[in-house]
Amino acid sequence: MSDIQKLKDIASQIRRDILRMVTGAKSGHPGGSLSSTDVVTALYFKVMKQNPENWSRTGEGYDMFFLSCGHESPLLYSALARRGYFPVEELGTFRKIGSRLQGHPATDTGLPGIHEASGSLGQGLSVAVGAALGKRLAGDPNKVYVLVGDGESQEGQIWEAAAFASHHKVGNLIAFTDWNGQQIDGTTEEVIGPDNLDLRWKAFGWNVLVVEDGNEMEQILSAIELATELQSKEPKPVMIMLKTVMGKGVDFMEGTCNWHGKAPKPEECEKALNQIKETLGDY
Amino acid sequence: MADYINTGNKDTRSGFGAGLLELGKENPKVVALAADLKGSVKMDAFAKEFPERFFQCGIAEANMIDTAAGLSLNGLIPFVGTFAAFATGRVYDQIRMCVAYSETNVKIAASHAGITLGEDGATHQILEDIGLMRMLPNMVVINPCDYNQTKAATIAAGKYNGPVYLRFGRPSVPNFTPENQVFEIGKAIKLVDGGDVSIFATGHLVWEALEAQKLLAQEGINAEIINIATIKPFDENAVLQSIEKTGCAVVAEEHFIAGGLGELTAGVLAKSAKLVPMEFVAINDKFGQSGTPAELMKAYGLDAAHIVEAAKRAVSKKTA
């Protein structure tokens, strides 16, 4: 089996996990989690240097990932569990009292893989920039990756961080925008356009790569490769704009904001799971 | 007890600057971030000495707080400096999620706190910052009283592992606590022994309380003066022991009554069934205005004269 096929299979299982977790918790955010699944799979199962068995919050000596759009927590938890950070069975505790898998990522539960709390939008990029600067100061050659939502980019702080990272030439930071064009109240254009995010990142002095199909594993991996190559030549932050589909993989969730923060009913979940192959065994 | 002598007026913010520089020399992990106020918050010397460890953030405080949180993950010890108004209210959500909840080792250096910021007026005179910060779990809140103590508190904050809110001010005020003191986080400092009334003061009001103590002594009232340099964790025992002896209290602070040291003290006394007469020298539910620091302290009832009156009222209620 090719590497790419393996990654696609993992992404498929993560999508099943997301749906089952959110259904089990009767709450959570499936739409964005499903649209970002492929890039997070690529990072955790192909790109990142990491040490799941002996994870440290400092990230020293390893790559670090930050989920700025913290509501996509089911995606992050599934990726971490499937990668061996904690037992897969724990996914069933998502959003339940006493769980390490809080509604939004938290550090006080001691869950391996979470460097910083997120969920209040617009903040994770700044934290990632700080972590990247810290690595630079420590002479740690590894990278920092961060995932930002397109709706989230309406927060002013995103642009504070954009200017800061550009000004301070944070050249070990690769950011991704999950550019699915949907948010709670409608499309990003309807809610507060113009959605010209690629132009904005360019204007802020970042290198910008646009991935036409941000749910295609090959395209994601090529973009990350290109970003790394760019940074080996010039210390500049890179933004990879992933044109994705909200709710990717489930026909009735795709391309609509209706499933941003809504859990499917058990029968809806069943219908969704029928469309997604179980590849690694459900938890 | 020692008679406290003013060794010369100095601003507490310069105490912070001196402490930060000393920390920077001691520990290469100390870094500093400013939001276009590095001169005002006295980070200049650090920035000059350690340019590679100083990060100018521009007028973008939210990013500054969270960038500091990110820096701290790698084991660095970031100090962020700006005016207290912009170091708290403006960035409350950032501090809440990425500093307090995430328990990152970020030190928030808040200068120009309170009404003594002066002429810039109410937009910049934050009087609720202690309340905002002490409501947050995991947050240590320190409010030193003079230059020497601010320097010592800065060094202590740098050595403590966890979030710290360090509050200091703009004007030159008497410098009277020992040079090169060691600051103990969480410990109240008894400055004068007395049996008639306990005066718990914090920040710039500590010197005013000492002045008030002398005036009260002339009238035969022996006031005990306690410097509450750490608001959180709060030294409950020091308060209770003093009240046991004096039976009444005055709390003096450059802050709103709401959320301040007075309410905190009242809560501790109520919880311990020590229902004693108590007076609040603080600002009650109104914004400040432009003026010189001395004019404002007087106009808003935050000087020695007002502490004297409050102490007399407390004592009279006790004997009534």
Side-chain angles (χ1 to χ4, degrees):
Chain A
M1 199 192 299
S2 75
D3 264 12
I4 297 291
Q5 189 54 48
K6 270 186 202 159
L7 290 171
K8 286 181 176 174
D9 284 351
I10 295 166
S12 183
Q13 186 63 51
I14 289 176
R15 286 195 160 90
R16 286 183 70 89
D17 289 347
I18 292 166
L19 290 161
R20 295 182 68 242
M21 288 165 75
V22 170
T23 305
K26 299 191 181 72
S27 70
H29 299 80
S33 298
L34 293 170
S35 73
S36 301
T37 298
D38 304 290
V39 65
V40 170
T41 303
L43 288 170
Y44 275 96
F45 292 87
K46 174 82 178 168
V47 175
M48 278 178 22
K49 183 183 171 192
Q50 58 199 305
N51 186 0
E53 295 77 26
N54 196 16
W55 177 82
S56 149
R57 194 177 167 193
T58 68
E60 197 183 336
Y62 295 97
D63 292 329
M64 293 170 97
F65 174 75
F66 292 90
L67 182 70
S68 193
C69 39
H71 56 277
E72 295 184 7
S73 57
L75 162 61
L76 179 58
Y77 294 150
S78 169
L80 289 171
R82 296 285 170 188
R83 187 64 180 80
Y85 282 78
F86 56 85
V88 171
E89 296 70 44
E90 205 170 336
L91 294 176
T93 69
F94 175 58
R95 284 183 170 245
K96 294 185 176 150
I97 192 158
S99 174
R100 298 200 291 177
L101 281 60
Q102 291 290 294
H104 293 82
T107 57
D108 66 343
T109 62
L111 188 71
I114 310 296
H115 294 287
E116 183 79 356
S118 62
S120 174
L121 294 176
Q123 300 193 39
L125 178 61
S126 300
V127 177
V129 170
L133 266 184
K135 278 201 182 300
R136 188 168 88 188
L137 220 53
D140 180 340
N142 296 292
K143 288 206 186 286
V144 173
Y145 299 92
V146 57
L147 177 65
V148 180
D150 52 359
E152 179 184 15
S153 302
Q154 290 156 9
E155 291 280 6
Q157 188 181 343
I158 291 290
W159 305 103
E160 294 184 7
F164 181 90
S166 179
H167 179 87
H168 289 281
K169 300 185 171 58
V170 182
N172 54 348
L173 176 76
I174 297 179
F176 303 88
T177 297
D178 182 18
W179 205 5
N180 60 36
Q182 301 285 340
Q183 59 186 113
I184 301 177
D185 280 353
T187 67
T188 49
E189 279 289 353
E190 284 164 359
V191 173
I192 187 87
D195 187 346
N196 53 2
L197 289 175
D198 51 341
L199 302 179
R200 293 194 217 171
W201 287 105
K202 273 181 204 150
F204 273 84
W206 287 47
N207 275 324
V208 179
L209 306 175
V210 177
V211 175
E212 286 305 323
D213 187 344
N215 294 115
E216 262 308 312
M217 200 56 77
E218 294 92 332
Q219 293 188 31
I220 295 167
L221 290 171
S222 315
I224 296 172
E225 208 170 302
L226 181 53
T228 308
E229 198 185 310
L230 284 171
Q231 289 189 333
S232 70
K233 293 176 188 149
E234 186 187 20
K236 243 184 172 185
V238 179
M239 172 55 78
I240 299 177
M241 305 290 304
L242 300 164
K243 289 189 182 172
T244 56
V245 175
M246 184 84 152
K248 178 73 181 179
V250 179
D251 57 8
F252 60 90
M253 291 184 175
E254 282 190 2
T256 163
C257 56
N258 295 338
W259 293 92
H260 166 87
K262 191 172 81 173
K265 296 186 176 73
E267 59 275 20
E268 290 169 322
C269 183
E270 209 49 49
K271 216 173 124 196
L273 290 175
N274 286 338
Q275 302 172 35
I276 302 170
K277 213 166 99 191
E278 182 181 349
T279 51
L280 303 173
D282 288 339
Y283 64 83
Chain B
M1 292 235 167
D3 195 13
Y4 288 88
I5 309 287
N6 176 13
T7 59
N9 281 16
K10 274 183 163 180
D11 49 352
T12 51
R13 56 183 163 145
S14 288
F16 162 71
L20 181 66
L21 184 62
E22 197 171 308
L23 269 176
K25 287 176 180 166
E26 245 172 57
N27 188 345
K29 290 194 176 300
V30 172
V31 299
L33 301 90
D36 202 32
L37 288 170
K38 84 173 152 149
S40 298
V41 303
K42 302 295 178 188
M43 281 182 167
D44 270 337
F46 182 95
K48 201 174 161 206
E49 184 89 11
F50 309 109
E52 75 291 351
R53 288 196 261 147
F54 172 75
F55 301 102
Q56 177 58 263
C57 299
I59 308 165
E61 294 83 4
N63 178 60
M64 176 168 72
I65 296 286
D66 286 346
T67 298
L71 280 161
S72 78
L73 296 177
N74 299 267
L76 296 169
I77 305 168
F79 279 76
V80 300
T82 183
F83 290 175
F86 314 134
T88 56
R90 189 179 183 92
V91 291
Y92 198 65
D93 190 41
Q94 282 74 18
I95 295 174
R96 183 175 177 274
M97 184 170 80
C98 287
V99 179
Y101 183 44
S102 294
E103 281 190 84
T104 49
N105 197 18
V106 173
K107 318 302 171 185
I108 301 163
S111 185
H112 295 56
I115 201 152
T116 53
L117 169 135
E119 293 82 350
D120 278 348
T123 53
H124 289 49
Q125 292 161 340
I126 194 158
L127 290 157
E128 63 270 37
D129 56 322
I130 287 176
L132 288 170
M133 290 299 114
R134 81 174 176 87
M135 279 195 290
L136 291 171
N138 302 328
M139 186 64 81
V140 163
V141 180
I142 304 175
N143 188 34
C145 66
D146 69 356
Y147 173 97
N148 285 343
Q149 192 160 75
T150 306
K151 183 180 171 191
T154 303
I155 291 166
K159 291 181 175 168
Y160 169 83
N161 185 25
V164 174
Y165 180 68
L166 179 65
R167 181 196 213 232
F168 44 91
R170 170 180 173 243
S172 281
V173 294
N175 186 29
F176 58 95
T177 64
E179 206 181 345
N180 303 320
Q181 63 191 283
V182 175
F183 188 89
E184 278 185 67
I185 293 173
K187 193 166 177 288
I189 305 153
K190 192 195 284 183
L191 299 178
V192 181
D193 245 327
D196 297 329
V197 56
S198 302
I199 302 179
F200 304 111
T202 186
H204 290 146
L205 270 289
V206 175
W207 177 257
E208 299 299 322
L210 288 170
E211 294 283 275
Q213 185 270 333
K214 289 178 201 152
L215 297 168
L216 287 163
Q218 287 167 16
E219 301 189 37
I221 297 173
N222 291 320
E224 177 149 294
I225 310 297
I226 296 186
N227 174 9
I228 308 288
T230 310
I231 307 284
K232 187 180 178 181
F234 188 46
D235 193 345
E236 298 191 6
N237 284 337
V239 168
L240 290 170
Q241 275 169 22
S242 181
I243 287 297
E244 194 71 47
K245 191 167 62 171
T246 63
C248 68
V250 173
V251 180
E253 59 189 319
E254 191 181 346
H255 195 268
F256 287 146
I257 289 177
L261 175 61
E263 280 194 352
L264 173 60
T265 307
V268 168
L269 295 177
K271 189 175 70 179
S272 309
K274 302 273 183 221
L275 298 173
V276 300
M278 195 171 168
E279 292 289 329
F280 297 80
V281 175
I283 295 178
N284 189 19
D285 209 28
K286 63 180 172 194
F287 287 105
Q289 60 174 303
S290 294
T292 67
E295 285 168 347
L296 291 165
M297 291 281 271
K298 190 173 173 209
Y300 285 79
L302 300 180
D303 56 5
H306 285 85
I307 296 174
V308 166
E309 290 312 307
K312 286 186 193 167
R313 283 197 303 274
V315 170
S316 72
K317 283 183 197 166
K318 182 171 65 164
T319 51

